[in-house]
Amino acid sequence: TNQALLRLMHTFAADEDAELAQPVELDLETLFSSVWIQGATELSLSANQERDAMLKNRLSWLSEDSSTPKHKSVPMQNLNITINPMEIKTYLVDIRPSL
């Protein structure tokens, strides 16, 4: 199996445009016509570790209100993903040429 690094970005800010600044749903299986994506693993933005490991090892900083944001890793259901405004996601994808 061949692998490729895939980075996707939503370029609009949340309040920038009523229509275009909405979450976008993508099906990675149908994204490209020249390759077939067989699987994907979400990575950190720098692509040096899986996203789950990054969240597990993240430092927790104390804040004035004593609450820290909770980040939850969502397992991939087939190859459908959602990208929110101003979000960048990085994936290591397993690919093979389309016939």
Side-chain angles (χ1 to χ4, degrees):
T1 303
N2 294 323
Q3 293 184 315
L5 194 62
L6 175 64
R7 181 160 292 150
L8 302 168
M9 180 173 103
H10 194 310
T11 57
F12 286 90
D15 296 328
E16 190 173 352
D17 186 273
E19 183 180 340
L20 298 175
Q22 299 296 319
V24 175
E25 294 183 15
L26 295 170
D27 181 0
L28 295 181
E29 287 183 298
T30 61
L31 191 60
F32 300 103
S33 61
S34 60
V35 295
W36 181 54
I37 297 179
Q38 297 177 293
T41 302
E42 188 170 0
L43 304 175
S44 63
L45 187 59
S46 57
N48 65 346
Q49 60 185 319
E50 291 186 9
R51 185 174 186 271
D52 289 340
M54 175 195 71
L55 293 176
K56 180 181 173 189
N57 297 320
R58 178 178 281 179
L59 292 175
S60 295
W61 297 94
L62 296 176
S63 61
E64 289 181 13
D65 66 2
S66 297
S67 66
T68 56
K70 302 295 181 205
H71 298 279
K72 195 183 274 188
S73 181
V74 179
M76 290 189 72
Q77 301 293 325
N78 34 57
L79 293 173
N80 296 319
I81 62 167
T82 301
I83 302 176
N84 295 305
M86 296 303 294
E87 190 171 48
I88 302 171
K89 291 190 174 188
T90 304
Y91 294 91
L92 182 62
V93 293
D94 300 321
I95 58 173
R96 72 174 194 178
S98 293
L99 298 176

